[in-house]
PDB file of all heavy atoms in Angstrom:
ATOM      1  N   ILE P1248      37.819-190.521  -8.514  1.00  0.00           N
ATOM      2  CA  ILE P1248      39.344-190.600  -8.695  1.00  0.00           C
ATOM      3  C   ILE P1248      39.728-191.513  -9.842  1.00  0.00           C
ATOM      4  O   ILE P1248      40.582-191.092 -10.744  1.00  0.00           O
ATOM      5  CB  ILE P1248      39.974-190.971  -7.446  1.00  0.00           C
ATOM      6  CG1 ILE P1248      39.903-189.894  -6.232  1.00  0.00           C
ATOM      7  CG2 ILE P1248      41.479-191.293  -7.708  1.00  0.00           C
ATOM      8  CD1 ILE P1248      40.552-190.432  -5.027  1.00  0.00           C
ATOM      9  N   GLU P1249      39.028-192.641  -9.957  1.00  0.00           N
ATOM     10  CA  GLU P1249      39.350-193.583 -11.102  1.00  0.00           C
ATOM     11  C   GLU P1249      39.120-192.912 -12.424  1.00  0.00           C
ATOM     12  O   GLU P1249      39.824-193.183 -13.335  1.00  0.00           O
ATOM     13  CB  GLU P1249      38.527-194.827 -10.811  1.00  0.00           C
ATOM     14  CG  GLU P1249      38.887-195.672  -9.705  1.00  0.00           C
ATOM     15  CD  GLU P1249      38.318-195.109  -8.381  1.00  0.00           C
ATOM     16  OE1 GLU P1249      37.171-194.570  -8.468  1.00  0.00           O
ATOM     17  OE2 GLU P1249      38.947-195.283  -7.383  1.00  0.00           O
ATOM     18  N   SER P1250      38.091-192.006 -12.437  1.00  0.00           N
ATOM     19  CA  SER P1250      37.716-191.462 -13.809  1.00  0.00           C
ATOM     20  C   SER P1250      38.791-190.581 -14.259  1.00  0.00           C
ATOM     21  O   SER P1250      39.041-190.293 -15.416  1.00  0.00           O
ATOM     22  CB  SER P1250      36.358-190.744 -13.700  1.00  0.00           C
ATOM     23  OG  SER P1250      36.468-189.596 -12.940  1.00  0.00           O
ATOM     24  N   PHE P1251      39.525-189.890 -13.238  1.00  0.00           N
ATOM     25  CA  PHE P1251      40.536-188.830 -13.631  1.00  0.00           C
ATOM     26  C   PHE P1251      41.968-189.602 -13.874  1.00  0.00           C
ATOM     27  O   PHE P1251      42.558-189.264 -14.780  1.00  0.00           O
ATOM     28  CB  PHE P1251      40.780-187.979 -12.432  1.00  0.00           C
ATOM     29  CG  PHE P1251      39.774-186.824 -12.292  1.00  0.00           C
ATOM     30  CD1 PHE P1251      38.921-186.799 -11.179  1.00  0.00           C
ATOM     31  CD2 PHE P1251      39.589-185.894 -13.295  1.00  0.00           C
ATOM     32  CE1 PHE P1251      37.936-185.830 -11.092  1.00  0.00           C
ATOM     33  CE2 PHE P1251      38.651-184.972 -13.294  1.00  0.00           C
ATOM     34  CZ  PHE P1251      37.797-184.936 -12.182  1.00  0.00           C
ATOM     35  N   THR P1252      42.219-190.719 -13.121  1.00  0.00           N
ATOM     36  CA  THR P1252      43.430-191.443 -13.305  1.00  0.00           C
ATOM     37  C   THR P1252      43.438-192.511 -14.463  1.00  0.00           C
ATOM     38  O   THR P1252      44.363-192.833 -14.965  1.00  0.00           O
ATOM     39  CB  THR P1252      43.876-192.130 -12.008  1.00  0.00           C
ATOM     40  OG1 THR P1252      42.905-193.034 -11.626  1.00  0.00           O
ATOM     41  CG2 THR P1252      44.027-190.971 -10.937  1.00  0.00           C
ATOM     42  N   GLY P1253      42.167-193.053 -14.793  1.00  0.00           N
ATOM     43  CA  GLY P1253      42.025-194.121 -15.697  1.00  0.00           C
ATOM     44  C   GLY P1253      42.586-195.398 -15.121  1.00  0.00           C
ATOM     45  O   GLY P1253      42.784-196.339 -15.832  1.00  0.00           O
ATOM     46  N   ARG P1254      42.701-195.491 -13.756  1.00  0.00           N
ATOM     47  CA  ARG P1254      43.173-196.734 -13.142  1.00  0.00           C
ATOM     48  C   ARG P1254      42.235-197.066 -11.936  1.00  0.00           C
ATOM     49  O   ARG P1254      41.507-196.191 -11.455  1.00  0.00           O
ATOM     50  CB  ARG P1254      44.631-196.555 -12.616  1.00  0.00           C
ATOM     51  CG  ARG P1254      45.648-196.109 -13.610  1.00  0.00           C
ATOM     52  CD  ARG P1254      46.977-195.845 -13.119  1.00  0.00           C
ATOM     53  NE  ARG P1254      47.610-196.917 -12.478  1.00  0.00           N
ATOM     54  CZ  ARG P1254      48.656-196.965 -11.821  1.00  0.00           C
ATOM     55  NH1 ARG P1254      49.346-195.705 -11.508  1.00  0.00           N
ATOM     56  NH2 ARG P1254      49.221-198.065 -11.237  1.00  0.00           N
ATOM     57  N   ASN P1255      42.393-198.324 -11.530  1.00  0.00           N
ATOM     58  CA  ASN P1255      41.620-198.709 -10.281  1.00  0.00           C
ATOM     59  C   ASN P1255      42.265-198.036  -9.110  1.00  0.00           C
ATOM     60  O   ASN P1255      43.469-197.651  -9.083  1.00  0.00           O
ATOM     61  CB  ASN P1255      41.704-200.171 -10.136  1.00  0.00           C
ATOM     62  CG  ASN P1255      40.761-200.939 -11.084  1.00  0.00           C
ATOM     63  OD1 ASN P1255      41.369-201.444 -12.046  1.00  0.00           O
ATOM     64  ND2 ASN P1255      39.567-200.895 -10.901  1.00  0.00           N
ATOM     65  N   SER P1256      41.477-197.856  -8.015  1.00  0.00           N
ATOM     66  CA  SER P1256      42.079-197.319  -6.790  1.00  0.00           C
ATOM     67  C   SER P1256      43.098-198.236  -6.235  1.00  0.00           C
ATOM     68  O   SER P1256      43.121-199.390  -6.463  1.00  0.00           O
ATOM     69  CB  SER P1256      40.916-197.076  -5.772  1.00  0.00           C
ATOM     70  OG  SER P1256      40.292-198.322  -5.422  1.00  0.00           O
ATOM     71  N   GLY P1257      43.938-197.675  -5.383  1.00  0.00           N
ATOM     72  CA  GLY P1257      45.032-198.423  -4.868  1.00  0.00           C
ATOM     73  C   GLY P1257      44.486-199.601  -4.068  1.00  0.00           C
ATOM     74  O   GLY P1257      45.073-200.742  -3.976  1.00  0.00           O
ATOM     75  N   GLU P1258      43.311-199.506  -3.489  1.00  0.00           N
ATOM     76  CA  GLU P1258      42.611-200.567  -2.697  1.00  0.00           C
ATOM     77  C   GLU P1258      42.394-201.832  -3.484  1.00  0.00           C
ATOM     78  O   GLU P1258      42.532-202.932  -3.084  1.00  0.00           O
ATOM     79  CB  GLU P1258      41.483-200.095  -1.962  1.00  0.00           C
ATOM     80  CG  GLU P1258      40.832-201.168  -1.056  1.00  0.00           C
ATOM     81  CD  GLU P1258      39.577-200.541  -0.437  1.00  0.00           C
ATOM     82  OE1 GLU P1258      39.095-199.493  -0.823  1.00  0.00           O
ATOM     83  OE2 GLU P1258      39.064-201.080   0.642  1.00  0.00           O
ATOM     84  N   PHE P1259      41.922-201.564  -4.794  1.00  0.00           N
ATOM     85  CA  PHE P1259      41.462-202.658  -5.652  1.00  0.00           C
ATOM     86  C   PHE P1259      42.427-202.912  -6.724  1.00  0.00           C
ATOM     87  O   PHE P1259      42.202-203.903  -7.435  1.00  0.00           O
ATOM     88  CB  PHE P1259      40.093-202.292  -6.209  1.00  0.00           C
ATOM     89  CG  PHE P1259      39.057-202.379  -5.289  1.00  0.00           C
ATOM     90  CD1 PHE P1259      38.593-201.299  -4.509  1.00  0.00           C
ATOM     91  CD2 PHE P1259      38.180-203.533  -5.256  1.00  0.00           C
ATOM     92  CE1 PHE P1259      37.574-201.350  -3.614  1.00  0.00           C
ATOM     93  CE2 PHE P1259      37.151-203.574  -4.406  1.00  0.00           C
ATOM     94  CZ  PHE P1259      36.810-202.521  -3.520  1.00  0.00           C
TER      95      PHE P1259
END
Side-chain angles (χ1 to χ4, degrees):
I1248 290 180
E1249 292 80 33
S1250 71
F1251 285 116
T1252 64
R1254 303 173 65 189
N1255 288 102
S1256 66
E1258 184 180 14
F1259 284 87

